[in-house]
Amino acid sequence: MTNHVFNRLICCLIFCFSTATFAENGLSKALTNNVSVTGQMSSEKFSQLMQQGFKSVVVNRPDEEDGNKVKVSELREIAERQHVSVIYQPVMSGKITQTDIHEFAKYYNELPKPILMVCRSGTRSSALFNQAKSQGLLHE
């Protein structure tokens, strides 16, 4: 096995392990100092995340999406006990529109930070954030 192939194999194993750990432990993933993303939500997990100092939450997962275990109204109730704002901005997985990007940027620029973004796996929220950032819409 060449060093190049070996190094790629090690990188793949590290990525797979870190992704599995993220999913198993239900941790959030920091994209910047101001924003983190998280996946599949439960009331217990959300309560734990609210203890980590987030000041705002943007929920990108539609309540009616298959497999969704907790509705935004439940998350809002938990967050309000911690004086944390919750914005419900559902976006369709793989179908983020320019309107979605501009709406998110408006929220991002107005909300207290750090912000936690919630969707099924974290991918949709990450894509929304990264698209708004790459378009220069976010004021840091």
Side-chain angles (χ1 to χ4, degrees):
M1 188 179 304
T2 68
N3 278 344
H4 177 70
V5 172
F6 181 74
N7 288 341
R8 289 187 72 188
L9 176 63
I10 295 298
C11 287
C12 287
L13 288 172
I14 290 169
F15 176 76
C16 290
F17 176 74
S18 65
T19 302
T21 302
F22 171 69
E24 277 181 5
N25 294 332
L27 304 172
S28 63
K29 177 183 174 190
L31 299 180
T32 69
N33 289 336
N34 286 330
V35 67
S36 296
V37 296
T38 189
Q40 186 69 278
M41 194 55 58
S42 69
S43 296
E44 297 78 25
K45 176 182 172 181
F46 192 71
S47 292
Q48 291 174 352
L49 286 165
M50 289 300 93
Q51 300 301 313
Q52 294 183 2
F54 293 104
K55 295 187 179 171
S56 305
V57 177
V58 177
V59 178
N60 298 127
R61 188 171 190 183
D63 273 351
E64 65 279 355
E65 187 174 81
D66 286 343
N68 194 5
K69 296 178 181 179
V70 61
K71 301 220 179 281
V72 73
S73 59
E74 295 172 62
L75 300 180
R76 185 171 279 121
E77 190 176 298
I78 294 166
E80 285 177 352
R81 284 186 234 136
Q82 302 293 324
H83 307 287
V84 174
S85 302
V86 175
I87 301 295
Y88 181 53
Q89 187 201 1
V91 294
M92 300 303 295
S93 186
K95 298 178 182 174
I96 295 173
T97 67
Q98 195 60 37
T99 301
D100 294 331
I101 295 165
H102 281 277
E103 182 178 0
F104 169 71
K106 178 181 152 266
Y107 293 136
Y108 180 89
N109 292 328
E110 294 174 358
L111 289 170
K113 296 174 185 60
I115 298 171
L116 176 67
M117 297 178 71
V118 179
C119 66
R120 180 176 48 228
S121 68
T123 302
R124 178 182 347 187
S125 294
S126 295
L128 184 61
F129 171 80
N130 288 327
Q131 288 181 42
K133 184 177 178 181
S134 71
Q135 293 177 29
L137 301 174
L138 305 182
H139 306 139
E140 296 294 328

